[in-house]
Amino acid sequence: MSVTLGGIAAGSAALAAMHPRKLNPQLQRELLDQQRELISQQRELLDHLRSQHRHARLIAQQQLQLDLLEKVLRDPSLAAVFDLHEGEASAERRRQYLVANAMYTNALLAWRIETITKEGFLGYVRGMLQNPVFREYWDATRKQRLTLDDSDEARMGREVDELAEQLDESESDEWWVVGRPAV
């Protein structure tokens, strides 16, 4: 039996107008089942809307980051604001780190809004870790990541740290398979 929200609402209104003792027990059970289904559908819709709202906020934040990056790329003197907490880096290297950060956070966003899987994210980052500038950026920002609260970003950062360690310890030249879970 296909239940529609409009049908349930109309049926509920009509039945609510009737005196409860005049309804037969089977009809009462059907009405209750339809109301439970409606509530379930409303919960699913609310969960979906919350998820979409969260995704929209994440995308807006990413756009702000990209706007800032664009300003830095237009005016290299702004790269000095990027604080590494790990000593000095040239203006050129700081700009490269900002691009590395943008690449990483873009991949992180894709995972957070569910356009790629966790495995897809880690596969992409596995490739990024092969780049010496990205690896240098990742190592230079380690202490910053340790200050993150227990968030998606913090948990995924720890997984990337573990992947980087596995890559460092691996004796295999096949970096694209390092860190994959056993099947």
Side-chain angles (χ1 to χ4, degrees):
M1 174 178 170
S2 176
V3 178
T4 65
L5 296 179
I8 293 173
S12 296
L15 291 173
M18 301 173 88
H19 193 278
R21 282 181 247 163
K22 293 183 182 178
L23 295 176
N24 79 38
Q26 176 64 30
L27 189 56
Q28 286 179 342
R29 279 190 295 278
E30 286 179 19
L31 177 60
L32 285 174
D33 288 344
Q34 288 178 353
Q35 288 174 334
R36 286 185 187 111
E37 178 64 23
L38 176 60
I39 291 169
S40 174
Q41 289 174 358
Q42 288 172 332
R43 284 185 183 136
E44 287 177 21
L45 179 60
L46 185 58
D47 288 344
H48 178 74
L49 291 172
R50 284 183 181 136
S51 174
Q52 292 301 307
H53 183 65
R54 179 177 178 266
H55 291 175
R57 289 190 326 262
L58 290 169
I59 291 166
Q61 176 61 40
Q62 183 73 17
Q63 185 58 54
L64 289 173
Q65 180 191 9
L66 293 175
D67 292 346
L68 289 170
L69 177 61
E70 184 180 343
K71 289 178 184 182
V72 170
L73 293 176
R74 275 196 247 128
D75 182 354
S77 70
L78 297 176
V81 175
F82 186 61
D83 189 6
L84 299 173
H85 303 289
E86 286 293 318
E88 289 299 313
S90 68
E92 178 183 3
R93 185 59 89 202
R94 285 177 185 265
R95 290 174 74 203
Q96 291 171 339
Y97 286 177
L98 287 168
V99 172
N101 176 266
M103 291 172 58
Y104 175 76
T105 57
N106 186 60
L108 185 64
L109 173 67
W111 170 71
R112 290 173 84 184
I113 64 171
E114 303 168 356
T115 58
I116 62 172
T117 63
K118 179 179 175 181
E119 292 76 22
F121 169 81
L122 292 172
Y124 181 73
V125 172
R126 185 181 291 111
M128 289 171 48
L129 288 167
Q130 301 309 302
N131 180 293
V133 175
F134 181 83
R135 180 55 81 95
E136 190 178 306
Y137 153 78
W138 193 254
D139 293 339
T141 57
R142 181 174 312 277
K143 288 182 182 176
Q144 289 174 327
R145 286 191 306 282
L146 293 175
T147 66
L148 297 174
D149 59 358
D150 190 33
S151 61
D152 289 343
E153 183 178 359
R155 285 188 294 277
M156 198 56 82
R158 288 190 296 270
E159 290 205 35
V160 174
D161 286 338
E162 289 175 24
L163 179 58
E165 281 182 39
Q166 291 171 3
L167 286 164
D168 289 344
E169 294 169 359
S170 175
E171 295 180 10
S172 173
D173 290 337
E174 297 177 343
W175 59 265
W176 54 91
V177 297
V178 173
R180 285 192 181 174
V183 179

